[in-house]
Amino acid sequence: MTDTGTSNADDTLGDISGGHPAAAERLVLQMWRTPVYQADCAGAAEHLPNLRTLILEAEEADRRKAADGGITVIKSSQTLLSWSHPSIDWLRHQISVAGQSLAHAVMGEAADEIGDDDVHAEAWAVVCRAGDSLRPHTRHDSAWSGVLSVAAEPSGDSDAGYLRMLDPRPAAMSRTASPGPVSYSPVPGRMIAFPGWQAHWMRATAADSRLRIAIAWNIAYHERWSRVS
């Protein structure tokens, strides 16, 4: 009979009763690990001011439209990557690098088989002023998601505007087994990326801060690569 490499109760009892299996058979596996990408993007000093201007100009146009329609909550458009500007080209490249890095971390060399036609990316701006925050959420229909900090004006609250990620193990969150949320500071030019199923949110900006701008994005794959993350 072929050895499948699986363990059973008899194997366990044999070990307890005095058997001494080779150390290689005593496995402690790191299962369901969560890859997180972090990078301070090269060229940010040149492109972030342009992105800030583009985003605020678009926000003002949306604000006027919302006022005409009596709408108080404005949801950012997810077509940012279709804008025509060299800084958008730079942003698109940074997103691609993050997605490729995560795919290689999970798939190894097999990630090289993913072609440009297999990838769909979208991005949108998130503009927060004093006291604004985002609720915990996931982007479950994407393989990878990320946030690029564009602007984060200083405040007296050192934790304001931080990106936070929840422990993805619900049972661990209710016990001391979890260290709790992990925080990432909103450093302009810093990209943070993670699996779309990873729950995250942004802590409220401080009352004495004026502005925080970030660009959020998703990467989805063709159906044959849908299980990448």
Side-chain angles (χ1 to χ4, degrees):
M1 180 179 295
T2 302
D3 183 3
T4 61
T6 59
S7 178
N8 56 44
D10 290 338
D11 295 334
T12 303
L13 290 174
D15 185 34
I16 294 173
S17 63
H20 298 284
E25 296 179 6
R26 299 177 181 177
L27 301 179
V28 178
L29 304 177
Q30 295 293 329
M31 301 179 66
W32 301 301
R33 291 178 293 176
T34 304
V36 177
Y37 170 92
Q38 176 177 310
D40 293 324
C41 300
E46 175 186 356
H47 293 286
L48 293 186
N50 296 332
L51 291 174
R52 172 180 175 139
T53 299
L54 291 169
I55 289 168
L56 292 180
E57 287 178 349
E59 185 205 25
E60 180 59 29
D62 286 342
R63 191 180 297 279
R64 289 196 298 270
K65 292 177 184 177
D68 291 341
I71 301 172
T72 57
V73 177
I74 303 171
K75 191 170 185 178
S76 301
S77 170
Q78 292 179 258
T79 61
L80 191 147
L81 294 181
S82 68
W83 298 357
S84 179
H85 194 281
S87 293
I88 297 296
D89 296 337
W90 173 83
L91 170 66
R92 193 179 299 110
H93 174 70
Q94 301 304 322
I95 293 173
S96 176
V97 169
Q100 291 172 3
S101 298
L102 286 167
H104 275 89
V106 172
M107 301 176 62
E109 293 181 358
D112 294 330
E113 300 177 19
I114 301 175
D116 292 342
D117 293 338
D118 294 318
V119 181
H120 173 71
E122 61 183 4
W124 61 98
V126 180
V127 180
C128 298
R129 291 180 170 80
D132 290 343
S133 64
L134 296 176
R135 296 178 179 177
H137 60 285
T138 64
R139 303 178 198 161
H140 60 276
D141 55 349
S142 65
W144 311 116
S145 297
V147 176
L148 172 69
S149 182
V150 176
E153 296 185 355
S155 72
D157 185 345
S158 60
D159 245 1
Y162 273 46
L163 173 69
R164 291 189 169 179
M165 294 187 193
L166 287 171
D167 190 323
R169 305 167 300 166
M173 286 294 290
S174 63
R175 303 177 55 193
T176 55
S178 174
V182 177
S183 297
Y184 295 88
S185 60
V187 177
R190 180 166 294 171
M191 179 83 81
I192 305 294
F194 41 87
W197 47 257
Q198 172 63 54
H200 60 283
W201 82 100
M202 192 194 75
R203 188 177 182 278
T205 52
D208 60 344
S209 65
R210 295 185 298 278
L211 185 68
R212 178 181 183 245
I213 301 175
I215 294 174
W217 55 267
N218 291 335
I219 286 179
Y221 295 113
H222 185 277
E223 184 177 355
R224 67 194 180 103
W225 296 107
S226 62
R227 296 184 179 179
V228 167
S229 64

